[in-house]
């Protein structure tokens, strides 16, 4: 089975840093995705981790520890437009299993 | 590149009727398409996987006779919700995979279905 956990909600102020954690217990692992989803819209790709370590891409970074079944998404220099839901998804072969998502609210 | 469209964006139908949702890959050929369902404040749940020209593979608990999937070409897959009921009201999202070695899925904008 697939068990993917993320916090439900997080709030931060504009310009701050927020870290969204994701823990997983899955039958099989080929990689981990992070997606951003605005309400009523499709998820958009943010990052993909296969190996342990940190992947940095502009204001967003993602970290993976396969031995701990743990990942985090780091959002720096928060902007109002970053208010959205952030989904952690584990890939096994060609299938994705999603967490319930973390709603991030950025306040001025 | 890698754009996926869905039609319609939203649909309201009466209980007992059937609704067809289209998913198209606009600028690439999709070897595999996926259909997800998302209830409010919940995660995307994979319903089925379809490969062009073959029958869809449904996830456990998804009724294949209720959710008919047709992947007639490399750029089009359709999901038909048959005899829809209010509990089928949800956000339906498709995604597409370009190549057999491509792990990334490109998501469509979703279809909001409301059954009254």
């Amino acid at each position: 089975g697939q068990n993917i956990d993320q916090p439900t909600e997080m709030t931060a102020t504009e310009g701050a840093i927020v870290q969204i954690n994701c823990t997983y217990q899955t039958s099989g692992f080929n990689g981990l995705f992070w997606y951003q989803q605005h309400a009523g819209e499709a998820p958009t790709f943010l990052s993909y981790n296969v190996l342990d370590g940190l992947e940095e891409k502009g204001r967003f970074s993602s970290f993976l520890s396969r031995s701990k079944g743990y990942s985090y998404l780091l959002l720096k220099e928060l902007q109002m437009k970053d208010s959205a839901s952030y989904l952690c998804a584990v890939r096994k072969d060609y299938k994705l299993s999603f967490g319930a998502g973390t709603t991030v609210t950025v306040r001025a | 590149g890698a754009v996926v469209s869905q039609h319609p964006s939203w649909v309201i139908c009466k209980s007992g009727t059937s609704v067809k949702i289209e998913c198209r890959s606009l600028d690439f050929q999709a070897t595999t398409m996926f259909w997800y369902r998302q209830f409010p404040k919940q995660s995307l749940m994979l319903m089925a996987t379809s490969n062009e020209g073959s029958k869809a593979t449904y996830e456990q608990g998804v009724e294949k006779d209720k959710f008919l999937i047709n992947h007639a070409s490399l750029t089009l897959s359709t999901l038909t919700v048959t005899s829809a009921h209010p509990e089928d009201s949800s956000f339906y999202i498709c995604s597409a995979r370009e190549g057999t070695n491509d792990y990334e899925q490109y998501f469509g904008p979703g279809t909001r279905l409301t059954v009254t």
Side-chain angles (χ1 to χ4, degrees), chain B residues 17 37 39 63 66-67 81-92 113-115:
Chain B
T17 61
R37 181 167 51 182
F39 292 106
E63 300 174 58
K66 182 171 181 62
F67 299 99
V81 183
T82 62
S83 186
H85 291 286
E87 57 264 32
D88 298 323
S89 298
S90 187
F91 192 51
Y92 291 87
L113 170 64
T114 302
V115 184

Side-chain angles (χ1 to χ4, degrees), chain A residues 9 33 35 37 40-43 45 48 87 91 93-96 98-101, chain B residues 34 36 38 41-44 46 49 59 91 93 97 103-105 107-109 112:
Chain A
E9 295 179 330
F33 287 89
Y35 288 90
Q37 186 181 26
E41 298 181 11
F45 171 81
Y48 179 57
L87 309 176
R91 173 182 164 241
D93 297 326
Y94 56 82
K95 290 186 178 180
L96 296 180
F98 285 84
Chain B
F34 305 87
Y36 296 86
Q38 186 178 33
K41 297 190 182 296
Q42 294 187 26
S43 65
L44 277 76
L46 180 65
T49 303
E59 295 299 301
F91 192 51
I93 303 176
R97 187 169 70 114
Y103 56 80
E104 189 166 354
Q105 295 182 22
F107 287 86
R112 174 75 58 192

